[in-house]
Amino acid sequence: MNWGWPFAGARRESKAAAPLIALSQLGVAAWGGRDAASLTQDGYLRNAVAYRCVRMVAEAAASVPLVTGHEAAAKLLRAPAPDMAGASFLEGVYTQLQLAGNAFVEAVKIDGRDGVAALFALRPDSVRPVTDARGWVEAWAVRERRGERLIRREDTGWSPVLHLKLFNPADDVMGLPPLGAARRALDLHNASADWAKALIDNSAKPSGAANAGRPLLLEGGLEWRPMSLSPAEMDFQEARNAAAREIALALGVPPMLLGIPGDNTYSNYREANLAFWRMTVLPLAEKTAAALSLWLDEPLGGDVEVRCDVDRVPALSVERDALWARLEGASFATPDEKRAIAGLGT
C-alpha cells in the first residue's frame, strides 16, 4: 500500500487552505516643529484655514486707526518708511506676531539729526537676542546677507528695536506663536488633505493585501480584505472640521466666520463678528498702540500717546449706536457728562 503521495497531497492542500493573516501596528505619530519657519511653511503657506485666520486678524487689526497728538509720531504712523503706508506696515507686524509670536520694529535715525526718520519691520527669524550674564537683553543680532549686525541700546538705555511679543510662560525673552498651540490640529488637517489626495491618486482604492493596480489571484478560499479604514469609517469630514475649528480658535477667529460647520458658539454671524473684534482684534491693536507710545517717547522728545480710534471702526458701529441711544435717554446726566461717557470730551 502506498502511504506516501496521497497523504502528502492532502497535507499540501490543507496548507494551501490556511487563512492568510497580516498584522500591522500603528507607528508613533510624528508632529511638526513649533518654530516660526515650520509654522509659516506648514500653516501660512500650506493650510487654507490658518492662512485665512492670520490674514483676517492682521488685516482687521491694521485697519484700526492709530492716532496721536504728537506731530512727529503722527507722521511716522502715517508713513513709517518711504513708499509704505501705515496700514501695510502694521499688517506685516501683526502677521509676524501670529506666526512667530514676536515682531521687531527698528527705528532708523539720520546722523546729526534728532528724532526718528523711519520705522522698518525686521523678520523674526533673522533676529536673535544677545543677553548678559543675568539673562537681560542687551542687544539684538540681526542676520543679513553678509554676517550679522548688532543693534545695541543707546547710552540712555533706549533700544532702537521695539520687541513686540505674545506672552510665553516657558520663555522670558521670546514670545509664543498662537499657531504653535494649534500645531497638532494643523498637522491633522494637513495630513487628512495628504491622505485624501493619495486616495484619489490610487483611484479611491484603500490599501489591501496586494499592490495597488496589479491583478490578484486568490485560491484555496482566501479573501481580499482592505487593510485601512474607509473615509466613512474614519468620519473623515468631521475630523477635518474639528481640526479646522481648533486652528481658528487658537488664532482667535470664531469658526462661524470661516463657514466651518459644527460651531454653535454664537447665534448669528453678527455676534460672532463682534466677538472677533472685541476679543481678538482690539486687544492686539491696543497692545501695539501702548507699546509704541512708550517706545517713541524718548527719541521724539515728548510725551507720545498713541491710541486706537475705535469710533472709526465700522464693525463696532452697532455698539456705538446702542451707547448713544442709552445716553439720549439718560435724563439724569448733563450734556457734558454724556459727552465724557461717549469719549467725545467736554
Side-chain angles (χ1 to χ4, degrees), residues 51-61 253 257-258 276 281:
Y51 170 82
R52 184 56 188 152
C53 288
V54 171
R55 285 289 304 273
M56 285 180 66
V57 174
E59 290 178 350
V253 179
L257 299 183
L258 301 172
F276 169 63
V281 177

Side-chain angles (χ1 to χ4, degrees), residues 181-315:
R183 177 75 240 200
R184 294 195 169 195
L186 179 64
D187 285 344
L188 288 174
H189 200 269
N190 287 343
S192 64
D194 294 340
W195 184 83
K197 178 63 166 58
L199 185 63
I200 293 174
D201 290 344
N202 197 38
S203 302
K205 298 175 183 177
S207 60
N211 292 331
R214 296 184 181 180
L216 177 66
L217 299 178
L218 299 176
E219 298 178 352
L222 294 180
E223 295 182 3
W224 183 88
R225 296 291 178 89
M227 298 175 63
S228 62
L229 299 177
S230 67
E233 292 170 330
M234 292 181 59
D235 200 0
F236 180 75
Q237 191 58 45
E238 177 53 34
R240 291 206 71 194
N241 290 338
R245 285 194 294 270
E246 289 188 29
I247 296 171
L249 292 174
L251 290 166
V253 179
M256 180 180 291
L257 299 183
L258 301 172
I260 301 174
D263 178 66
N264 299 319
T265 306
Y266 303 99
S267 59
N268 54 53
Y269 186 92
R270 186 172 66 178
E271 287 185 3
N273 187 57
L274 184 59
F276 169 63
W277 278 86
R278 278 297 178 188
M279 299 174 64
T280 301
V281 177
L282 285 184
L284 186 60
E286 290 174 348
K287 178 180 179 178
T288 303
L292 288 171
S293 298
L294 294 175
W295 185 55
L296 293 176
D297 271 349
E298 181 174 326
L300 297 184
D303 188 11
V304 178
E305 181 184 0
V306 181
R307 60 182 181 84
C308 299
D309 189 358
V310 296
D311 290 334
R312 292 164 55 188
V313 177

Side-chain angles (χ1 to χ4, degrees), residues 88-221:
S88 299
F89 169 79
L90 290 174
E91 183 182 336
V93 170
Y94 294 135
T95 298
Q96 298 291 3
L97 272 175
Q98 303 304 304
L99 295 176
N102 303 279
F104 298 92
V105 180
E106 180 183 3
V108 177
K109 294 184 176 182
I110 299 179
D111 294 339
R113 297 185 185 181
D114 295 331
V116 176
L119 301 177
F120 292 95
L122 304 175
R123 285 181 50 175
D125 59 348
S126 66
V127 181
R128 64 176 181 87
V130 179
T131 58
D132 57 18
R134 296 177 299 173
W136 297 99
V137 177
E138 59 182 8
W140 294 98
V142 181
R143 186 177 69 252
E144 297 181 340
R145 292 184 179 180
R146 297 180 180 178
E148 286 185 337
R149 63 184 176 97
L150 285 181
I151 304 177
R152 299 185 179 275
R153 294 181 179 273
E154 296 186 351
D155 295 337
T156 59
W158 181 78
S159 174
V161 174
L162 171 63
H163 178 204
L164 296 167
K165 68 175 183 178
L166 301 180
F167 178 70
N168 186 353
D171 196 321
D172 293 333
V173 178
M174 306 303 285
L176 174 69
L179 198 55
R183 177 75 240 200
R184 294 195 169 195
L186 179 64
D187 285 344
L188 288 174
H189 200 269
N190 287 343
S192 64
D194 294 340
W195 184 83
K197 178 63 166 58
L199 185 63
I200 293 174
D201 290 344
N202 197 38
S203 302
K205 298 175 183 177
S207 60
N211 292 331
R214 296 184 181 180
L216 177 66
L217 299 178
L218 299 176
E219 298 178 352

Side-chain angles (χ1 to χ4, degrees), residues 6-93:
F7 287 97
R11 285 196 299 269
R12 287 197 298 271
E13 184 177 346
S14 62
K15 289 182 179 180
L20 176 63
I21 301 176
L23 298 178
S24 63
Q25 185 177 2
L26 290 176
V28 179
W31 305 104
R34 296 173 184 265
D35 57 287
S38 298
L39 293 176
T40 300
Q41 180 66 32
D42 297 338
Y44 196 72
L45 300 181
R46 289 186 56 199
N47 190 278
V49 176
Y51 170 82
R52 184 56 188 152
C53 288
V54 171
R55 285 289 304 273
M56 285 180 66
V57 174
E59 290 178 350
S63 70
V64 178
L66 299 182
V67 296
T68 178
H70 195 284
E71 183 178 354
K75 183 179 179 181
L76 278 175
L77 294 177
R78 184 172 60 253
D83 301 327
M84 177 174 289
S88 299
F89 169 79
L90 290 174
E91 183 182 336
V93 170

